[in-house]
Amino acid sequence: MADLINYSEENVRRAGKRDPQASRQALLTAAIAEFAAKGPAGARVDEIARRAGVNKQMVYHYFGNKDDLFQAALEEVYGRIRARERALNLSDLPPVRAMESLVGFSFDYLAEHPEFIALLNDENRNGAMHLDGLREVQTMHLPLVELIRDALQRGVREGVFRDDVDPINLYISIAGLSYFFFSNNRTLSAIFGTNLGDSKAVAVRRRHVIEFALGALRPLQP
């Protein structure tokens, strides 16, 4: 048994030396797909390694165990969306345009990344056990909150936004307007007897979400 363990560890070291960053990233991408399809309980480490094209021992080498890998997958999907939000350069846009861009982007990202919704649904179902107190994820959200706060303050100064909007509440509302539509798309389609997943329905919903969010930001009429 000792010889087998040493052999496995040696394989891990050799594989890692070839391109450790590529191997780790491949595992994360494979893990996100596997967790999204089967949830953390149903996902298998063997299948994640197979998808990534690496030795199974690499999972334990880089991430520890399956729970640690799921936590890393959550960090990765959050990191991806936050990076895309930063690329919007909201601070360089007029306040109304900045908010329109953020709302539209949030909608489009969820439309294009069902795996993000799947992982978040599982994490909520499990009481946020992997995210609770995780400072890395908390920290990556702070710049976004500040960008929203800046856009709101600029909009107040220009007279285009009301002055009593909390940036965190606004972010939650923006996320919720799009998230519910995609996470519950099939049940909503069944309830209302229409296909809310076709391109026309998605486009109508996108326009509504943007108009609804911007309408909520306009100054109240005396």
Side-chain angles (χ1 to χ4, degrees), residues 3-4 23 31 39 60 73-74 88 96 104 143 156 166 168 174 185 196 199:
D3 290 341
L4 177 60
S23 295
Y60 305 109
L74 283 169
L88 296 174
V96 173
V156 171
D166 175 78
I168 294 178
I174 291 171
N185 196 275
L196 293 175
S199 59

Side-chain angles (χ1 to χ4, degrees), residues 4-185:
L4 177 60
I5 293 173
N6 289 336
Y7 176 73
S8 297
E9 290 178 349
E10 180 61 26
N11 283 347
V12 168
R13 283 194 292 271
R14 288 175 180 173
K17 286 179 180 178
R18 286 198 295 270
D19 194 340
Q21 187 57 39
S23 295
R24 189 179 189 280
Q25 191 59 48
L27 281 169
L28 274 176
T29 299
I32 290 168
E34 178 77 356
F35 286 133
K38 302 175 184 175
R44 297 179 59 227
V45 171
D46 304 65
E47 180 61 17
I48 291 170
R50 188 197 67 77
R51 282 174 179 257
V54 301
N55 189 297
K56 176 181 175 179
Q57 292 301 318
M58 297 291 284
V59 176
Y60 305 109
H61 175 69
Y62 285 118
F63 301 102
N65 57 40
K66 190 168 75 167
D67 264 354
D68 294 333
L69 179 56
F70 184 72
Q71 183 181 66
L74 283 169
E75 289 186 62
E76 177 72 7
V77 295
Y78 270 118
R80 289 177 184 179
I81 188 172
R82 297 291 87 88
R84 292 278 299 277
E85 285 164 346
R86 289 194 297 273
L88 296 174
N89 296 318
L90 300 180
S91 59
D92 296 334
L93 300 174
V96 173
R97 179 60 182 150
M99 296 311 307
E100 182 180 2
S101 295
L102 178 61
V103 177
F105 164 79
S106 297
F107 186 92
D108 294 340
Y109 193 88
L110 293 179
E112 297 162 5
H113 295 276
E115 76 282 357
F116 183 68
I117 294 174
L119 265 65
L120 265 62
N121 283 346
D122 280 316
E123 182 65 358
N124 276 289
R125 189 178 300 114
N126 290 303
M129 60 181 290
H130 300 92
L131 287 180
D132 190 26
L134 191 63
R135 292 192 60 83
E136 289 82 356
V137 172
Q138 293 174 357
T139 300
M140 72 174 65
H141 282 71
L142 295 178
L144 174 62
V145 173
E146 290 308 309
L147 284 172
I148 294 174
R149 189 190 311 278
D150 173 69
L152 288 172
Q153 291 174 344
R154 290 189 289 118
V156 171
R157 289 195 296 270
E158 294 181 19
V160 294
F161 290 160
R162 53 193 292 179
D163 62 2
D164 59 348
V165 179
D166 175 78
I168 294 178
N169 268 331
L170 177 59
Y171 167 75
I172 294 172
S173 295
I174 291 171
L177 285 169
S178 300
Y179 191 96
F180 185 84
F181 176 75
F182 290 110
S183 67
N184 292 48
N185 196 275

